[in-house]
Amino acid sequence: MAQEIEQQNGAASFAALKPQVVVPAGKADEAVQFYKAAFGAEELKRVNHAKRKADQETPLILCAELKIGSASLLVCDQTDDSSPVAGKEGGSGIVFRLETENVEGALAKAVKAGASQEGEITEEEAQEGSCCGGVLGKVKDPFGVAWIIASAAKVAAVEA
Amino acid sequence: MAQEIEQQNGAASFAALKPQVVVPAGKADEAVQFYKAAFGAEELKRVNHAKRKADQETPLILCAELKIGSASLLVCDQTDDSSPVAGKEGGSGIVFRLETENVEGALAKAVKAGASQEGEITEEEAQEGSCCGGVLGKVKDPFGVAWIIASAAKVAAVEA
């Protein structure tokens, strides 16, 4: 009942906010090693970019999930898809990933409040061991901060 | 005993990782309102910048702590002190704030792993209702990401 009312209002509750560091392509593994050494980060999972698996020696990292204390930090290689969050002048970019069961509602609410939607809502590639299957949309807020609103990771669904 | 060994190794455990959005001076209140409207953020506390309290109608926000889902997000007005995390071209900057009981050890470990320390370790101003009293250091990691390493918020200590 409460959930029903929430959805009518276009509201969404967020299961997680995960900051995502997007580093220049090919640097993500180095970044993961650095965060382990510098902050004692623990690597929970890593998903490589499918397109590079076959033809590249070092695959791009679509998403590595680290744990620092009790918090999640995602580290990703920059790809064509990550352009809205790309850092300037070859640097790193940061985007906040919000996970929710109601991606459309959350996006609509953010846009109504003044965020600009970037591109269409897409279905993330669900890959072996993926952290990233599900629906995903991107917005930029009025202060220039990039947000990804995505359905919560469903690792189990990938195995089907 | 375990803690003793940890400190000998220069290791530090982190109580929290709080992403901090540093917006152009004077915009933080607007940003807080936006995050409430867009993401249902809840404002837990707000500390204004002391120097502006007397002579400005709208005080700068040193730090507003928001809760989105179970995660913390800090929103701050840019001040002279926040230069290392300032956004380019008048935009917003993002810094990750790590809270720990062993600021010196954590900084030393990060620098040993390849981060550059920015400035000296400072004592944050402890103010009425402060979220920010305590020791604080800043580093930039090899990927251009800014980190604040700070002692965990001690609101109670401020009242003394």
Side-chain angles (χ1 to χ4, degrees):
Chain A
M1 181 65 150
Q3 201 181 356
E4 206 175 292
I5 291 166
E6 197 175 73
Q7 293 199 343
Q8 281 172 4
N9 292 338
S13 59
F14 297 105
L17 191 176
K18 297 178 182 173
Q20 188 168 323
V21 178
V22 181
V23 300
K27 292 271 185 189
D29 181 63
E30 199 181 318
V32 168
Q33 301 313 322
F34 169 80
Y35 294 129
K36 285 182 184 175
F39 305 127
E42 194 188 333
E43 185 172 346
L44 297 186
K45 52 191 168 192
R46 178 186 295 214
V47 181
N48 290 327
H49 202 278
K51 288 170 195 159
R52 302 245 315 197
K53 256 181 186 164
D55 58 339
Q56 299 279 343
E57 264 187 61
T58 311
L60 289 182
I61 296 179
L62 190 64
C63 160
E65 181 159 5
L66 307 182
K67 208 93 189 165
I68 299 179
S70 60
S72 285
L73 180 71
L74 303 176
V75 179
C76 315
D77 270 319
Q78 191 174 329
T79 65
D80 296 342
D81 300 339
S82 53
S83 53
V85 300
K88 283 146 195 143
E89 301 153 28
S92 299
I94 294 172
V95 58
F96 295 134
R97 181 187 178 95
L98 285 171
E99 294 185 347
T100 178
E101 288 307 308
N102 180 8
V103 173
E104 287 83 356
L107 276 170
K109 194 177 172 190
V111 169
K112 199 178 159 200
S116 327
Q117 190 163 340
E118 311 245 328
E120 299 297 308
I121 296 179
T122 57
E123 192 86 22
E124 279 188 294
E125 293 173 67
Q127 297 175 43
E128 198 187 333
S130 177
C131 60
C132 306
V135 184
L136 176 148
K138 294 173 186 170
V139 296
K140 197 156 250 182
D141 76 26
F143 310 93
V145 178
W147 296 79
I148 285 175
I149 297 178
S151 31
K154 282 174 191 157
V155 177
V158 178
E159 290 165 22
Chain B
M1 182 62 151
Q3 200 182 356
E4 207 175 292
I5 291 167
E6 196 176 74
Q7 294 198 343
Q8 280 171 5
N9 293 338
S13 60
F14 297 105
L17 191 177
K18 297 178 182 174
Q20 188 167 325
V21 178
V22 181
V23 298
K27 291 271 185 189
D29 180 65
E30 199 181 318
V32 168
Q33 300 313 323
F34 171 80
Y35 294 128
K36 285 183 185 175
F39 304 128
E42 193 188 334
E43 185 172 346
L44 297 186
K45 53 190 166 192
R46 177 186 294 213
V47 181
N48 291 326
H49 202 277
K51 287 171 195 159
R52 301 247 313 199
K53 256 180 185 163
D55 57 339
Q56 299 280 343
E57 263 186 60
T58 310
L60 289 182
I61 296 179
L62 191 63
C63 160
E65 182 159 4
L66 307 182
K67 208 93 189 164
I68 298 179
S70 60
S72 284
L73 180 72
L74 303 176
V75 179
C76 315
D77 271 318
Q78 191 175 329
T79 65
D80 296 342
D81 299 340
S82 52
S83 53
V85 300
K88 283 147 195 141
E89 300 151 28
S92 299
I94 294 172
V95 57
F96 295 135
R97 180 186 178 96
L98 285 170
E99 294 185 348
T100 178
E101 288 307 308
N102 181 7
V103 173
E104 287 84 357
L107 276 170
K109 195 177 173 191
V111 168
K112 198 179 161 201
S116 328
Q117 189 163 342
E118 310 247 328
E120 299 297 307
I121 296 180
T122 56
E123 191 88 20
E124 279 186 294
E125 293 174 66
Q127 297 175 42
E128 197 188 332
S130 178
C131 60
C132 307
V135 184
L136 175 148
K138 295 173 186 171
V139 296
K140 197 157 250 182
D141 76 26
F143 310 93
V145 178
W147 297 79
I148 285 173
I149 298 177
S151 30
K154 281 173 191 155
V155 177
V158 178
E159 291 166 22

